[in-house]
Amino acid sequence: MATIVLALLAAVSFLPVLLTPIPAMVDYPNHLARMYVLSQNGTPGANPYYEVTWAFYPNLGMDLMVPQLARLMSVEDATRLFLLLSQVLIVTGALLLEWVRKKRIHLAGFAALAFLYCLPFSWGFVNFEFGIGLALWGMAVYLMLAESAWPLRFAAHSAFVAALYVGHFFSLGVYGAVLGLVELSRIRQGQTTHPVVAARLGALALPARLRCFRSCMSRQARSEAKATIGSSHSSRSGRSAS
């Protein structure tokens, strides 16, 4: 009975995205406009006032997926499909996580549906929703493979780390915090050792370190550029005064 009720509630929860051309989200029109620009990039219909430049940044989930989907459908439908995928990931990820942990489905699905249209949805944080759904799946897979061979665990963990970094950086932090607590619990229960935990979490910390390194390099480059401009301006002023 609970499964039927959950399925009905999920269907009703997903209907607004399917039936509404532009969901009532504050930032959704900005996302949709950006998807138009990205989808037309490199084509004769590209907007001449925008230039698309890719870099190794997080929060690019929909920026990478929607233009590819837009090859098969309209940009509006592709954007709504990405939003629907984000919601499905949240609900199914919560269900899978509860099943892996408790071997039964109880409250996680209802809790996920209850928070599906919360404040991040109203603000239009689409990449955030996608990242949280992906993080829930990553946590469940991590627990599912806890006793598997380490190459399989490492491959799955690294894949989720990369996907979460690209999808949304905050979701990577949530994923890392939960896995850190899981590993601390395993150490306390004598199920693993400190070197094993350090190796497992090393892959998680790598993208964060790369991000911090890139930010530091960018700030240094901007500082050097400002110093060069200031020096050039001072030289011109000195020549003018003489």
Side-chain angles (χ1 to χ4, degrees), residues 4 8 17 35-38 47 61 65 71 98-99 119 124 126 149-150 155 174 189 205 220 225 229 237:
I4 296 176
L8 291 175
V17 178
M35 293 307 104
Y36 265 107
V37 172
L38 293 176
N47 193 313
M65 293 181 63
R71 297 180 179 181
E98 186 177 38
W99 182 83
L119 200 58
V126 183
W150 75 264
V174 173
Q189 297 171 11
Q220 182 179 355
I229 294 174
S237 299

Side-chain angles (χ1 to χ4, degrees), residues 4-80:
I4 296 176
V5 173
L6 178 63
L8 291 175
L9 288 175
V12 172
S13 299
F14 296 146
L15 274 179
V17 178
L18 294 173
L19 300 179
T20 307
I22 299 182
M25 306 166 73
V26 173
D27 212 26
Y28 191 86
N30 295 330
H31 289 313
L32 186 58
R34 191 173 75 258
M35 293 307 104
Y36 265 107
V37 172
L38 293 176
S39 300
Q40 297 298 319
N41 183 51
T43 68
N47 193 313
Y49 298 103
Y50 293 92
E51 179 182 356
V52 178
T53 302
W54 296 101
F56 187 61
Y57 292 125
N59 305 2
L60 294 178
M62 69 184 308
D63 301 70
L64 295 175
M65 293 181 63
V66 171
Q68 305 306 317
L69 294 172
R71 297 180 179 181
L72 307 175
M73 60 190 76
S74 67
V75 177
E76 296 94 333
D77 290 341
T79 307
R80 284 193 296 132

Side-chain angles (χ1 to χ4, degrees), residues 73-96:
M73 60 190 76
S74 67
V75 177
E76 296 94 333
D77 290 341
T79 307
R80 284 193 296 132
L81 180 59
F82 180 84
L83 174 59
L84 180 63
L85 173 63
S86 303
Q87 294 183 326
V88 170
L89 282 175
I90 290 176
V91 177
T92 57
L95 291 172
L96 180 61

Side-chain angles (χ1 to χ4, degrees), residues 54-58 60 162 165-166 206-207 210-211 214:
W54 296 101
F56 187 61
Y57 292 125
L60 294 178
Y165 177 84
V166 173
L206 181 60
L210 289 175
R211 172 62 176 164
R214 181 179 177 84

Side-chain angles (χ1 to χ4, degrees), residues 118-137:
C118 60
L119 200 58
F121 174 87
S122 300
W123 283 343
F125 296 166
V126 183
N127 280 328
F128 171 81
E129 291 195 42
F130 175 78
I132 292 298
L134 197 60
L136 290 171
W137 271 85

Side-chain angles (χ1 to χ4, degrees), residues 100-101 103 139-154 156 182-183 185-187 189-193 196-197 200:
V100 171
R101 187 67 182 87
K103 301 303 180 185
M139 298 169 199
V141 171
Y142 189 87
L143 294 175
M144 192 184 303
L145 300 178
E147 304 303 328
S148 302
W150 75 264
L152 179 59
R153 294 198 311 267
F154 183 80
V182 168
E183 292 301 331
S185 175
R186 287 168 59 84
I187 290 177
Q189 297 171 11
Q191 298 176 350
T192 186
T193 61
V196 173
V197 171
R200 288 181 178 179

